[in-house]
Amino acid sequence: MFPGRRPRSQRRERPEVPGRRSRSRLSVRSVAGQVLVLQLVIVLLLGAAATVALVLQVRRDSTEEARGRSLAVAESFASSPGIVRELQSRHATALLQPKAEAVRKKSNLDFIVVTDDRGIRITHPVPGLIGKHFVGTIKPALAGGRVTEIVNGPGGEVSQAVVPVFDGHQHVIGLVSAGILVKKVSGFVDRQLPLLIGAVIASLALATGGTTLVSRRLRRQTRGLDPVEMTQMYEHHDAVLHSVREGVLIVGSDGRLVLANDEASRLLDLPPRPEGRPVEDLGLEPHITDLLVSRRVVTDEVVVAGERLLAVNNRLTDRVGGPPGSVATLRDSTELRALSGRADVAQKRLKLLYDASVEIGTTLDIGRTAEELAQMAVTRFADFVTVDLAEPVARGEEPLAVSGVEMLRAAVHGLSRDHPFYPVGKHFSFVASTPQAWGYGSGRPVVETDLAEATGWQAQDPEQTAKVVEYGVRSLVTVPLRARGVLLGMVNFWRMKEREPFEDEEVSLAEELASHAAVCIDNARRYTREHTMAVTLQHSLLPRALPAQSALDVAFRYLPAESGVGGDWFDVIPLPGARVALVVGDVVGHGLHAAATMGRLRTAVHNFSTLDLPPDEILSHLDDLIARIDQDESPGSLERIEGLEAAGESIIGATCLYAIYDPVTRRCTMARAGHPPPAVVSPDGSVEFPDLPAGPPLGLGGLPFETAELELAENSNLVLYTDGLIEDRRREIDTGLELLRDALSLPGRTPEEICTHVLDEMLPTTPSDDIALIAARTRVLGAGRVVSWEVASDPAVVAGVRAAVLRQLEQWGLGDCGFTAELVLSELITNAIRHATGPIRVQLLRDRGLICEVSDSSSTSPHLRYAATTDEGGRGLFLVAQFADRWGTRYTPDGKVIWAELALP
């Protein structure tokens, strides 16, 4: 009943008697002998079946092979060259007999016979049979068909084939028959059969040897126990059975108890000597009785037995060939159940804290973090969760640790959307008697087990709190949100009356949740503060309004990235002569450093623009500036400054596109430093990207910058942008340029409409880089607002020019400023005649002011100086500076232009 194995150290081995032991192992009465006999029978049956199958298969294949060979040789001989001629010859036998015999011997056939159309043999291996009638079926062959048949010959079965011989008119003039003994083809079965018999014998030997080896191994493992050893084994098993702390019951197939150890008798309170009695008569509880007699397999099923909880396992004993019945084990799990309950609660709380560490704080958004805290705790810890933050926290600021601070409802989440709590966005202050106010002031959690009796809490808003109680909310735990010594707000966990109220041991879990969420909210707050500062700095460094000018109708858009601030920037700068400069740039990198560098570059561009330099020279100056900034702010330089830590951040380059548009000549001069090319939209809607020399990014140095000049038609649109518009992680720059071309190729749109449409079509869902976009429609100062004169290098012509200027000003209705214009032009023309050579040109432009320009071929720049009282000259430019709003000099490829701008009356 209880088979087992004794320890190896206590086993004794019986001495073996040679011969007798081997015979007993393989006796037919032993299992090993029976297995051996079964294997021998199986191997013999398989060998016999294989032999029969081989013989049948070989016979069938041999017959088919004989038919095929005889037919193939007969057809080949019947189709051989010259056979028709030889058949029709008078000496047919003499001609065909040697030939047929040669083919027969070469193809290893038994005969090849040629007959005429009446079946009379012309050839035969036995010459004596020539001239006699062919034996076999020839009618189908005489009709033009083929005959293959198995006939019995003197040497056994013969496969013969008969085929016709056709003349040139497809008439049958004779027959060819070829035959071979079938046994010639099937002779190889004699070679295969010994191999098969050898394989069967080897299998029998292998089965016998394997059985012998297995029998020996089993004998060595069982060690052959004698009766004394069997008695000792049962004694050991009986001692173990009654000493274990687990009850064991064995029930027979008839429902009677076969065995019960001492622990089972104690757990079930069995009567004395219960073995042999029916289980129904043992006085057990009905559900335990049913379980023991039902032969139902159970695993760790917990049942109640009096005041105990028993874990029951029931298994059938006849599943593996044993006697019918079942074995049940009983384990007292009363204390274990209580411990497992507490462990299960602890495990769920640990799982909640782990999930909170993963799912709270996935973003650096304050509101989203508060919402994640509320969602995490609902149903697993509370029925509703509300999060209230100090109002400065929502702005990224640090709140003051004082009572009465204004709070903002940041998140509400619960079992139902229809809740009685303050909505998100509600501003309020905690009343001093509320648990939230006490907890915020002390920094400790507060528990309210019955809100219907909490008068201090109800004082916050009697009408609102009455709705909360009426809704069925029963208890509250309010925990302060504290991180790095800063109180950020309060989180409130609410439970309905259907659940047990919060207990003191649950407060620690609420504190853990609030502590982790507070750190995440504080991180988001600090990020919000830093991001707000960076965005404020960035926006303060960008143009807030476009300057007044008449050359271009300009619209712009600036969109910061989703996170961080970048160094993208743009500018519109009026230049002398009614010209306008458009600038777009991008500093590599993100953060405050990039924004500050962008501001310095924009200021430098303004300063260089006042010098009225061409675009390539301005980019060269910017390149030198970036190189100096990078050198001055390198970590080594910062470490030499006492008290200043190395920033560890340097500029690695910037891109820029600088364009100057002249509304008088409609020419646009551009240069770029590693920046994407501009787009030119013609009035008809066609889009071009000018082949503008790229140039290296600013700060790399080494290569000069080049300019390109375009002539733009009136009402053309010049579009400048940064790479954030055309390039992102999901598309290459070439694809972005084609998308931009499609977005711009619509005629008749204003710059505002162009900016709006381009962003609607191309703006990424989550921009990873800043985007700056400028659309400028060109205007032209027509002939009615521009007039010029060629002046000879002779002081005598100055008076005539002054008179022409006065007449022109009268036509424009600007006679009031004629004296000032006459004085300024007289000084500028006189200086040009005196100090310059070559042609002199005078030009007046009527724009927002009156612009007087005098150009010459000299590159010498005039300088303003203060003449002494004894000097006869030197006061001309001083007078110009006094009467003009602005004046200056710009250089051209042919010389220079001195200009002065006068205010219109």
Side-chain angles (χ1 to χ4, degrees), residues 213-249:
L213 292 177
V214 171
S215 177
R216 288 180 179 179
R217 181 174 179 83
L218 292 175
R219 197 69 181 179
R220 286 197 304 268
Q221 291 180 347
T222 55
R223 302 286 185 177
L225 298 178
D226 55 23
V228 176
E229 292 174 328
M230 294 294 294
T231 302
Q232 292 179 352
M233 181 187 69
Y234 278 102
E235 290 175 353
H236 284 221
H237 283 194
D238 188 66
V240 171
L241 181 66
H242 291 285
S243 62
V244 296
R245 291 294 305 274
E246 187 167 340
V248 178
L249 295 174

